[in-house]
Amino acid sequence: MAWTSDTQEHYWLNDKQELVCNGHAELCDRKYGNVTFLGAHDSFAFSTNPFALSRTQEVNITEQLNLGARLLQAQSHMNNGKLHFCHTSCGLFDGGSVADYLRTVKTWLDKNPNEVLTFIFTNPENISVSEVWKPVFEETGMADLAYVPPSPVMSREDWPTLREFIQSGKRVIVFLDKGADNRTNPEREYILPQFKMVWEDPYNPTDASFPCTVDRTAGPLTPTDQLYLINHNLNFDILPFFHPGFKIPDRLNTPRTHGIYSIYTHAMNCAAIMNEKNPNFVLTDFSNVGQAMAAVDFLNGF
């Protein structure tokens, strides 16, 4: 068959029709800021032991990704001179080195080239981005997949489509809650300041009705111009009469918490103050339990 401009257009159309982005062809030409993603809270803290009170997940990182999580959240701490992911402290739950974690995720991404993934990492010790975080991303190869935005602060509508992320090869978006604000070369920086672009409602919630308020954010954008994350990881306070109490993940009620009705209600509570925009991230404990992925699909219109 002779190659003509019509033939070329035919192939492009077929490519466009056949590409599946994050599991759905319909998401390919949707902007990142208009997609809802399932998130795994403290994704490193997995254990099958029900007496491990600091666990937040029952299956490992690879399985979380296989189940549909496209936001991985984790808390960092230094441990013996190396950057680790730990729950509150490394003595309470040590999830291992950040380098090993990123290698695991990179292996999965290499096998799944049509997936867009977001990291939101917390940095409570304000560990240096240039001296500690970036070298880990570079040595693991994750920096090669990380997206560098054209503007230091991106509004909700500024982000590319999922197709554009995938075709560029830069399909990992990295947010850090602390330490990424003062970037010397923003045109080259892929570790982004979370609260300038993503706000969250209250974390460690204990109210199963999930009322919504803007809890953590920073300028210059207004919340309605930012991406936003809902903390749909219900907790149980085992010391309710002592301040500040002691909260642990409410595993017993997770099937109900991860029901479509519960997640949809939480999302609508926030949409009411967000010009009816759905959340971008639904953060969950025990992501393998219940209907969390089905609820996210529902929010995306499937």
Side-chain angles (χ1 to χ4, degrees), residues 65-82:
L65 291 164
N66 288 339
L67 289 168
R70 294 297 178 269
L71 162 69
L72 296 179
Q73 189 270 353
Q75 182 182 119
S76 66
H77 294 272
M78 292 300 289
N79 187 19
N80 293 324
K82 289 188 176 182

Side-chain angles (χ1 to χ4, degrees), residues 58-126:
E58 291 180 342
V59 296
N60 65 32
I61 299 156
T62 300
E63 187 59 23
Q64 292 166 34
L65 291 164
N66 288 339
L67 289 168
R70 294 297 178 269
L71 162 69
L72 296 179
Q73 189 270 353
Q75 182 182 119
S76 66
H77 294 272
M78 292 300 289
N79 187 19
N80 293 324
K82 289 188 176 182
L83 190 62
H84 277 224
F85 283 138
C86 302
H87 195 297
T88 306
S89 76
C90 293
L92 193 60
F93 195 113
D94 186 351
S97 73
V98 173
D100 286 345
Y101 176 102
L102 292 181
R103 288 189 187 98
T104 296
V105 178
K106 176 74 163 46
T107 297
W108 187 90
L109 286 168
D110 289 343
K111 294 177 180 177
N112 295 272
N114 292 343
E115 302 294 329
V116 176
L117 180 70
T118 303
F119 291 130
I120 291 183
F121 296 149
T122 67
N123 189 26
E125 297 169 1
N126 205 15

Side-chain angles (χ1 to χ4, degrees), residues 127-198:
I127 297 162
S128 171
V129 170
S130 60
E131 295 178 9
V132 180
W133 281 98
K134 288 184 72 175
V136 174
F137 271 78
E138 289 160 6
E139 73 176 75
T140 59
M142 191 62 76
D144 296 334
L145 298 178
Y147 175 71
V148 179
S151 172
V153 177
M154 300 279 281
S155 76
R156 183 179 175 121
E157 297 302 322
D158 288 339
W159 296 90
T161 65
L162 299 197
R163 181 191 303 277
E164 289 168 331
F165 278 121
I166 290 166
Q167 291 182 339
S168 73
K170 305 295 186 180
R171 53 195 176 93
V172 176
I173 301 92
V174 185
F175 292 112
L176 196 65
D177 73 333
K178 185 186 294 186
D181 292 311
N182 299 317
R183 294 175 294 161
T184 56
N185 296 302
E187 68 279 2
R188 298 174 57 188
E189 298 292 350
Y190 53 82
I191 299 180
L192 311 175
Q194 177 192 350
F195 293 123
K196 286 188 175 180
M197 289 177 266
V198 185

Side-chain angles (χ1 to χ4, degrees), residues 232-245:
H232 200 79
N233 50 316
L234 191 65
N235 292 266
F236 177 72
D237 195 342
I238 61 176
L239 296 173
F241 302 109
F242 296 89
H243 182 76

